[in-house]
Amino acid sequence: MRDIMGMMGKVKEMQAKMEQMQAEIAELTAEGKAGGGLVTVLISGKGDLKSLKIDPSLFKEDDVEILEDLIVAAHKDAKDKAEALAAEKTKALTAGLPIPPGFKLPF
């Protein structure tokens, strides 16, 4: 019975740490670039677009399609970086726990 109580205490502690980690991840920002820095986006740890910067040299009528593609690429770059930061924080928190491969935290 004592083991169950100890395990429950660890679960509560882990839950508190997960909540704190989720708050920290939400405050993270990641910058993504595309086109050699012609398009730059800044996103939150949750993937929300915070800012978008476009080099003025891209404002030509024939380059609209290219510009759209660069914005998408820059957003993906930033999102990948934000996910990597979140995974790193999660890995440090869950070190030593028997979590199956591919299982993503936070849920």
Side-chain angles (χ1 to χ4, degrees):
M1 194 63 143
R2 186 167 244 183
D3 289 337
I4 291 175
M5 296 303 282
M7 190 170 88
M8 291 300 286
K10 287 187 181 201
V11 168
K12 286 187 183 229
E13 182 182 322
M14 176 68 140
Q15 184 179 13
K17 286 181 180 180
M18 285 296 290
E19 289 172 4
Q20 179 184 0
M21 183 190 64
Q22 287 174 336
E24 289 174 9
I25 288 172
E27 291 179 19
L28 291 175
T29 59
E31 181 179 82
K33 295 184 179 195
L38 294 174
V39 175
T40 303
V41 298
L42 185 68
I43 65 169
S44 72
K46 290 188 172 188
D48 298 328
L49 186 62
K50 295 294 185 183
S51 72
L52 168 67
K53 293 181 183 170
I54 302 170
D55 188 281
S57 69
L58 291 173
F59 291 107
K60 297 177 188 168
E61 285 186 36
D62 358 347
D63 293 341
V64 172
E65 238 179 86
I66 293 170
L67 181 58
E68 290 168 346
D69 290 343
L70 288 174
I71 291 170
V72 170
H75 184 270
K76 182 186 179 326
D77 183 43
K79 189 172 181 195
D80 290 346
K81 289 176 182 175
E83 287 175 356
L85 288 169
E88 190 177 306
K89 283 191 163 287
T90 303
K91 185 177 180 182
L93 178 67
T94 60
L97 290 177
I99 296 175
F103 188 76
K104 287 190 172 186
L105 290 174
F107 308 100

